[in-house]
């Protein structure tokens, strides 16, 4: 696996998410996890990631956490860089129903999002990209 560059190692003028590629087909991003929001829908309805963002904006009170988001051919994994990269969560590719990005949102800036679906529930997972607080 390639070496991960943490946010404090970035040049101060770099506003982009950190990404590293390796020969195993994995891509790593250092992002802030904003929220994982369940979306209640009618049968056969297909919500958008914007629906999840709208819920976050309406409800408020969410905190962010810096995570390492790793995309592999098998799915998405989240690791905590503040706790020796301990595994936080994983989402198999079979459950990921949509990926998307939101650019220049007036409240949250640039965001990456993916949606999972399991049984009868959609969940939108929102991640902010950009400058972050320092990671120890």
């Amino acid at each position: 696996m390639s070496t991960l560059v943490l946010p404090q190692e970035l040049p101060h003028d770099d506003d982009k998410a950190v990404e590293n590629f390796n020969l195993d087909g994995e891509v790593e991003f250092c992002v802030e996890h904003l929220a994982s929001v369940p979306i209640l829908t009618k049968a056969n309805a297909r919500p958008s990631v914007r629906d999840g963002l709208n819920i976050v904006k309406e409800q408020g009170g969410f905190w962010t956490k810096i995570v390492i988001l790793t995309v592999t051919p098998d799915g998405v994994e989240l690791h905590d860089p503040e706790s020796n990269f301990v595994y936080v969560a994983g989402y198999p590719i079979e459950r990921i129903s949509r990926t998307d990005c939101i650019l220049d949102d007036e409240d949250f800036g640039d965001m990456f999002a993916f949606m999972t679906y399991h049984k009868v529930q959609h969940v939108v997972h929102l991640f902010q990209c950009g400058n972050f607080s320092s990671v120890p």
Side-chain angles (χ1 to χ4, degrees), residues 82-104:
E82 296 175 337
S83 300
N84 202 24
F85 297 93
V86 69
Y87 176 85
V88 175
Y91 306 93
I93 197 73
E94 305 83 43
R95 290 195 183 163
I96 298 173
S97 59
R98 176 180 289 180
T99 60
D100 207 344
C101 66
I102 299 169
L103 300 176
D104 296 326

Side-chain angles (χ1 to χ4, degrees), residues 47-113:
S48 71
V49 297
R50 224 2 118 191
D51 294 329
L53 180 58
N54 290 339
I55 289 173
V56 168
K57 288 183 175 188
E58 289 170 9
Q59 292 180 355
F62 290 92
W63 52 270
T64 62
K65 171 131 184 82
I66 293 177
V67 295
I68 304 304
L69 183 145
T70 304
V71 180
T72 72
D74 298 323
V76 173
E77 292 183 0
L78 304 177
H79 296 269
D80 182 357
E82 296 175 337
S83 300
N84 202 24
F85 297 93
V86 69
Y87 176 85
V88 175
Y91 306 93
I93 197 73
E94 305 83 43
R95 290 195 183 163
I96 298 173
S97 59
R98 176 180 289 180
T99 60
D100 207 344
C101 66
I102 299 169
L103 300 176
D104 296 326
D105 179 77
E106 64 184 32
D107 296 313
F108 297 109
D110 295 338
M111 302 180 73
F112 168 74

Side-chain angles (χ1 to χ4, degrees), residues 18-22 25-29 68-73:
V18 177
E19 56 183 276
N20 290 299
F21 299 87
N22 69 22
E26 294 182 354
V27 182
E28 292 181 335
F29 300 91
I68 304 304
L69 183 145
T70 304
V71 180
T72 72

